[in-house]
Amino acid sequence: MEALTTTAILNGLRTHTLGRQVAYYQTTASTNAVAKALAAQGAVEGTLVIADEQTAGRGRLDRRWLAPPGTSLLFSLLFRPQLAVARASALTMICGLGVRQAIRELTALPAQLKWPNDIMVRGRKGGGILTEVSSSAERLDWAVVGIGLNVNLPVAALPAEFRATSLQQELGRSTSRVKLLQLILLHIEQHYLKLQAGQWPSHEWASALETLGQRVRLHTAEGAVEGLAEAVDDEGGLALRLDDGQLLKVWAGDLVALTSSEAAAGEEKGPGPPTR
Ligand code: BTN
């Protein structure tokens, strides 16, 4: 197994800021937890916290993030942008775009994104992003963006209901985690520079979202609704056109693209109350 050491990460890294300070752990509870503690202690922008294994890796909606040791990229990046807290989702967007671009460039796999924060390969989840922020008076003090990516992971190691995949599963061979990480950091940094120059990422992000323009089912804590995933706004909110014509704006939930027969059945129903 290729070693994911600080020296290996820095050797050939082409960024100016991201990943220039590295905190590597063979095992830690959660790289996001470490990065948040470092942020509170004044760590510099671009600090990378990375681990070969997490004992309490966390996903969105308080879920666990599972990854056998040494198989994945499990890391968190510290940003200190001049942004209103309501606009922190731009960081999730640029990180998703950077990961997608790096996977495509290194492996030629058709990586895509799925609202709100999934990294998809051939219709299955291959990674996810968890952004956590600290703010005062509506301004961001810092944001930690945690990224988990199934690289050389045998999917049989994960529960089947996760419907997960990995780069290894899709390629039939392993991928260098160091090279992939270096490329991810480079692409995220390029997007971050554009963001700092005032170029908002939502349009590019929208064009990388695989479920946009499709009929979908959205699962939330309150239940499920079906509709057309019509658009995303600058803050990353999803506009869902319900079957009764209402436009529902949502910021969280799990999105499932409906199969063509499910979608056709929904359209035949015509306007009516949303399914809950
Ligand atoms: C999701 O899809 O729910 C987001 C998953 C984010 C997982 C990563 S792994 C590195 C970082 N540390 C964590 O505890 N979580 C994120």
Side-chain angles (χ1 to χ4, degrees), residues 30-32 54 57-60 65 75-76 125 128-129 146-148:
S30 153
T31 58
N32 264 36
Q54 296 184 127
R58 288 181 305 110
R60 214 162 44 92
W65 186 261
F75 65 99
S76 304
K125 181 160 172 166
I129 301 175
I147 300 176

Side-chain angles (χ1 to χ4, degrees), residues 4 6 23-28 31 34 38 48-53:
L4 194 63
T6 301
Y24 166 79
Y25 295 84
Q26 194 170 0
T27 302
T28 191
T31 58
V34 175
L38 291 177
L48 167 71
V49 180
I50 185 158
D52 259 313
E53 182 184 18

